[in-house]
């Protein structure tokens, strides 16, 4: 029998007035009320000001974890579990090494994030793929998804109907993720990149925090409940993320809570790695009907519109699940890695 898992929902990648966000930490925490999240990861650009101010920890029913979006000419990465800002004016290898040396985790932010609001394309993508010294990637970013089709001529439609502009992770990012997962565990997260922009003399907030906290979220499947102890619970959340025992979901389209992807006997769950020794039956369960695709090594091997799907893996591979509702991208799980017997990666 498998272990019991406890599901918690989080919003990852938000910015406060410590960098370029429109709200103070106190204001952001107020915006979590009614947003349906259990944890929030704050990632201001190139500063740990909120951590230094002692903001990290439990605030009523939400656990605030303070990270850092290290923003450099090589691209941006989310550094979690660090205590000191890593100098961003250095090589990408130096940045990633600086995070690792603190025992931190690195997630490449909006890996292929590009948009063209006027004439010139703005590129915030990652430019240092030569290194693999990172924990995972932000597979789906709400704001970069929204911005990818934005042009000043479409301002009204994009502002009034933001969710209608959401198309799913950049195909280039999905291909890269599948490629990386062939070599090692690479965790996929969902991010909001919430800034809640304010402009002088205009009495509106562009993309309020609470609105974004209810869009693309990362559901984690923990080995125990959160206890209320800030230090222990932060460690549990970060360890669960790093293990890939999580899935990302556009909860603004439909709530993905209750989704599971595991072996039928429950011994392997999303994020787990094992040596393939015999045929293995995989099973997914969804909270409502969706167009499900089971993906092996980047290729779809089974599709169905259902709430439950089983598949017998007859060969090694990296198996993951993605789902759509009415043709719209909804949910992506981290893989179950069934490695060839000659490649033991259970400790990677």
């Amino acid at each position: 029998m498998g272990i019991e898992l406890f599901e918690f929902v989080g919003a990852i990648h938000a910015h406060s007035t410590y960098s370029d966000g429109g709200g103070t930490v106190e204001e952001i925490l107020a915006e979590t009320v009614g947003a349906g999240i259990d944890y929030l990861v704050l990632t201001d650009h190139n500063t740990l000001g909120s951590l230094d101010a002692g903001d990290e920890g439990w605030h009523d029913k939400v656990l605030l974890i303070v990270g850092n979006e290290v923003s450099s000419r090589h691209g941006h990465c989310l550094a979690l579990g660090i205590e000191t800002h890593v100098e961003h004016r250095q090589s990408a290898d130096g940045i990633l090494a600086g995070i690792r040396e603190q025992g931190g985790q690195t997630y490449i932010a909006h890996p292929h994030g590009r948009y063209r609001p006027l004439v010139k394309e703005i590129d915030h993508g990652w430019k240092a793929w030569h290194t693999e010294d990172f924990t995972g990637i932000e597979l789906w970013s709400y704001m970069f998804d929204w911005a990818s089709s934005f042009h000043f001529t479409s301002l009204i439609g994009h502002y009034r109907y933001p969710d209608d502009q959401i198309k799913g992770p950049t195909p280039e990012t999905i291909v890269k993720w599948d490629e990386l997962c062939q070599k090692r565990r690479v965790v996929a997260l969902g991010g909001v990149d919430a800034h809640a922009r304010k402009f002088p003399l205009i009495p509106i907030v562009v993309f309020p925090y609470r609105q974004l906290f209810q869009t693309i979220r990362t559901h984690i499947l923990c080995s125990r409940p959160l206890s209320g102890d800030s230090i222990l619970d932060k460690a549990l959340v970060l360890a669960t993320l790093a293990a890939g025992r999580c899935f990302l979901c556009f909860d603004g389209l439909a709530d993905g809570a209750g989704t599971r992807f595991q072996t039928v006997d429950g011994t392997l769950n999303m994020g787990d790695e094992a040596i393939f020794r015999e045929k293995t039956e995989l099973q997914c369960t969804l909270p409502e009907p969706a167009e499900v695709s089971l993906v092996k090594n980047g290729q779809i091997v089974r599709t169905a519109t259902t709430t439950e799907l089983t598949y017998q893996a007859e060969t090694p591979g990296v198996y993951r699940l993605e789902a759509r509702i009415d043709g719209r991208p909804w949910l992506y799980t981290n893989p179950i890695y069934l490695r060839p017997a000659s490649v033991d990666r259970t400790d990677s």
Side-chain angles (χ1 to χ4, degrees), residues 142-179:
Y142 183 92
M143 284 310 306
F144 270 86
D145 190 349
W146 178 88
S148 65
S149 61
F150 174 79
H151 189 267
F152 77 96
T153 57
S154 63
L155 172 62
I156 295 177
H158 267 67
Y159 178 73
R160 292 182 63 186
Y161 309 106
D163 286 355
D164 290 350
Q165 320 309 321
I166 301 305
K167 303 172 293 303
T170 304
E172 190 177 359
T173 301
I174 293 180
V175 169
K176 188 67 178 179
W177 180 43
D178 283 328
E179 173 191 317

Side-chain angles (χ1 to χ4, degrees), residues 102-143:
Q102 294 188 52
Q105 304 168 14
T106 303
Y107 299 90
I108 305 303
H110 38 76
H112 300 96
R114 307 182 187 96
Y115 56 99
R116 192 186 300 271
L118 294 170
V119 177
K120 183 179 179 181
E121 181 181 74
I122 299 174
D123 184 358
H124 286 298
W126 185 249
K127 304 169 182 65
W129 292 110
H130 67 276
T131 178
E132 296 186 0
D133 194 9
F134 53 87
T135 312
I137 64 174
E138 183 182 44
L139 185 72
W140 194 0
S141 165
Y142 183 92
M143 284 310 306

Side-chain angles (χ1 to χ4, degrees), residues 14-25 28 42-44 50 194 209:
H15 301 271
S16 76
T17 50
Y18 277 103
S19 62
D20 58 345
T24 64
V25 174
I28 292 172
L42 187 70
T43 51
D44 281 312
S50 181
Y209 292 108

Side-chain angles (χ1 to χ4, degrees), residues 261-263 265-270 272-274 280 336-338:
F261 177 52
Q262 58 191 18
T263 53
D265 62 8
T267 56
L268 295 177
N269 286 275
M270 57 187 82
D272 288 344
E273 291 190 273
T280 303
I336 292 174
Y337 303 83
L338 299 178

